[in-house]
Amino acid sequence: MNHFALMILWLTIIISKCGFSSSMINPLNGQHLRVIWPLWSGNPKGLWGPLKGGVILDFLSARLNFTYEMVRVTENTLEPQGKVRGLFNYLWDQKSDLLVTDVLPQFYRSNIDLSTPWVFSYCGILIPVNDDSANINAVVKPFQWPVWLGLGVSIVCVTAILILILRFSSHLPENFDSNTQVESNSNDNLEGQDGRHPVSDRDRSAKPYLYVIGNLLSQGGPCPSKRLSFRLVAGVWCLAAFIFVQAYNSTLFTYVVTPVNQPLVNSINDVLESNDIQLLVIKASPLDFLFSINNYFVNILLWKKQNPNASGIKLANKLNSFPDSRCKFISDCLSVITPGSRNVYVHAINYLKDTIKDNFKKTGKCKFQIAKEGFLPTRVSFALQQNSPYTKRVDQGLLELQQTGLIDFWDTWFRPMPPQCNGKDPTKTSRNKLSALSFKNLTGAFLLLAVGLSLSLLVFLLEQIYYRFI
């Protein structure tokens, strides 16, 4: 453990002891409690429970002056499931005095006492980290489709206007403008470069088209005409093309380097709206209990204030629509959350962080991530025997612990998330080290090049067939 953290813990205990009023009756003074903490080392692995339960228990023991012993358990559920016992059975049978695990006060009305809530959190969705895919659309993403449509229409209109100016320039008087010269019609009688074909109207009209496209591609080129009207249109197009090119280039870089592994879902609403996404929970966990109770209460408790358009009935039906949606252990749920799968795992946000951290220690890779939006704010408590004389003192000890701020500090102590899995872009490196672009970043450009080469080869073959056989 961190020595600095231990020092803070014991200083807090000493100060709290000094501030304890001798006139206040402490029924826990000198008592020996039987405590259940699912993550105790003597219990089987795979049980779920609060990671901070051990240090909280040590704090309460020192603060309220009691000793304790751990009760070994194998059950992974709170409520009994048919003939299978639950953790509450130990309280009902008076085999345990305190249950250090997460109990949702608003859903459990069994014959137990609940402590004051010791943590306030929310539920999250664990999803797989998808592999990088080819960034094919990076070339067209800088502009939305209306911009591409408007750009295409502009090219056609500008080209048509320039062609019309060239074709009808001969009808204008030569002294129309002192600063312009009417192009000589002698170009009509000039021979082509091959010495056989004269320059036709089609050849002259191709020049404005190449001029328009050349400016848009930053290739430039000589102006096909010296007439003032032609140059005015060409100048306006140059300014517009400059804006288009600069806007496209500045945005293109962002889409080229942006990761292309989009998350499977972003919120619980995405799960509800997708028919092929399978929702997973721990069997008989508080969330399973919540989703399995009367659909009316699910609807009221989950979304009455958050999203009136969503329905708790949909979530309950989603969970019941898959036969394997309830896992006995966390490892069973994680084994089916793989890249390319459509499975998501729902649990409290702290447990999901533990899962990501533990998996990173085993594999060295970030195989899981948490969806962007959480849902269902929750508060959890400990459980004691019904009408326990220790309930009020445990409540006071938890309130004093919250006031010290140690519970929030322990989150950073016990859950140091790996930098690679902190939700930021894993492709970004330090400022002093630049990452080279991969083939997947520029797939769209290579695809465009391949299409252009294929099209040019096809046109070349058609030309050869035309001139040789027709």
Side-chain angles (χ1 to χ4, degrees), residues 15-26 63-64 393 396 400:
I15 294 173
S16 61
K17 280 188 174 182
C18 295
F20 181 70
S21 176
S22 59
S23 60
M24 185 177 298
I25 299 177
N26 179 18
R63 173 67 182 88
L64 303 177
R393 291 302 296 129
Q396 183 176 357
E400 292 173 355

Side-chain angles (χ1 to χ4, degrees), residues 31 102 120 143 146 159 166 173 184 219 230 262-263 267 270 289 298 321-322 347 359 365 388 399 423 425 442:
Q31 297 295 323
D102 293 336
F120 298 86
F143 290 159
T159 303
L166 284 180
S184 175
Q219 299 300 315
F230 189 97
Q262 299 297 330
S267 65
D270 295 338
F289 176 79
V298 176
S321 61
F322 296 97
H347 212 311
N359 182 264
K365 298 180 180 178
S388 173
L399 290 174
D425 181 8
L442 300 174

Side-chain angles (χ1 to χ4, degrees), residues 162 166 183 187 204 206-212 215 221-227 230-231 234:
L162 295 180
L166 284 180
E183 295 185 1
N187 290 335
R204 289 199 304 271
K207 293 182 179 179
Y209 175 77
L210 295 176
Y211 179 76
V212 171
N215 278 278
C223 187
S225 175
K226 296 181 180 181
R227 185 169 297 280
F230 189 97
R231 288 177 175 270

Side-chain angles (χ1 to χ4, degrees), residues 242-278:
F242 175 80
I243 297 175
F244 288 136
V245 171
Q246 295 301 319
Y248 180 83
N249 290 339
S250 60
T251 312
L252 176 64
F253 176 78
T254 303
Y255 283 103
V256 167
V257 300
T258 298
V260 293
N261 50 340
Q262 299 297 330
L264 180 61
V265 296
N266 291 317
S267 65
I268 192 64
N269 290 332
D270 295 338
V271 178
L272 295 176
E273 294 172 359
S274 300
N275 297 326
D276 59 339
I277 293 182
Q278 182 172 353

Side-chain angles (χ1 to χ4, degrees), residues 404-464:
T404 63
L406 282 176
I407 293 181
D408 296 332
F409 173 77
W410 285 334
D411 275 331
T412 60
W413 183 14
F414 285 103
R415 295 184 172 92
M417 292 295 293
Q420 299 88 337
C421 307
N422 59 3
K424 297 181 180 179
D425 181 8
T427 61
K428 292 183 179 179
T429 55
S430 60
R431 296 180 179 179
N432 298 328
K433 184 178 179 181
L434 299 178
S435 177
L437 294 178
S438 65
F439 179 80
K440 293 181 179 179
N441 295 116
L442 300 174
T443 305
F446 285 106
L447 180 62
L448 184 62
L449 178 62
V451 172
L453 293 177
S454 302
L455 184 60
S456 63
L457 179 60
L458 177 62
V459 173
F460 173 76
L461 294 177
L462 294 177
E463 288 178 345
Q464 294 298 319

Side-chain angles (χ1 to χ4, degrees), residues 183-192 198-200 204 207 224:
E183 295 185 1
S184 175
N185 294 330
S186 60
N187 290 335
D188 296 338
N189 300 321
L190 293 178
E191 293 184 351
V199 179
S200 62
R204 289 199 304 271
K207 293 182 179 179

